[in-house]
Amino acid sequence: MSSATVEAWPEDPAGLVRRGRRGFRAWRRTRPFWGGLLAVIAGLPILYFPYAHLKLGGLTVAMATTAGAGSLLIGLLMMVLGVTVWFQPVVRVFCGVATTILALISIPVSNLGGFGMGAIPGLIAGGLLVSWAPLQPLPAAGPEAAETAAGMAAGMAAAPQDAAPTAQLPAQAAAEQPLEYGAAPTAHAEGEQR
């Protein structure tokens, strides 16, 4: 093997595969990937069974019905919604509701929703798409975060040890400001002024 051949490969193939897997994992975590995949999978049996010719021994069973065009439309729309949500995660709620409705409509239109093999994953996909929310970035750990943590630790050390923790009354909980979409509630130190 010549040295020119060795120089043509700047990285080993295993490193490229690892980097590709990490990139795919990062891409997958920023969108409702599994809900979209289930929606695509749910569209396949809904599309297939109305046009299939199954052979049972010497007997050919054709399940073509007058709703073949409806099955085609429902199956293709479910697959398009699944792919759309991968590339436009902002429309996840619309795609989830539409996937759920299409899965329910496929039950009477498309041979019981592809004999359940399309309706059940479609309903699960709709739920996954509607319930998915993007992760909020963690706050950066800077000098002010260290000061806040030190101040909270000093405040807890000054509190009497025998004092029982108090529960928040419903009126106090209602007086709190509402959370932003997707934000997680935070615990407040005792005696902290709002």
Side-chain angles (χ1 to χ4, degrees), residues 39-126:
V40 170
I41 291 172
L44 292 174
I46 293 173
L47 275 173
Y48 175 73
F49 286 121
Y51 297 103
H53 296 284
L54 303 175
K55 294 189 184 281
L56 301 172
L59 180 66
T60 301
V61 179
M63 291 189 228
T65 62
T66 56
S71 298
L72 178 69
L73 186 65
I74 290 170
L76 285 177
L77 280 175
M78 286 181 80
M79 294 170 72
V80 166
L81 289 170
V83 172
T84 299
V85 81
W86 286 343
F87 297 104
Q88 294 293 326
V90 177
V91 296
R92 67 190 178 275
V93 175
F94 169 77
C95 289
V97 171
T99 300
T100 302
I101 291 171
L102 287 171
L104 290 173
I105 290 173
S106 73
I107 293 171
V109 170
S110 177
N111 296 326
L112 299 174
F115 299 112
M117 290 186 279
I120 292 172
L123 292 172
I124 294 170

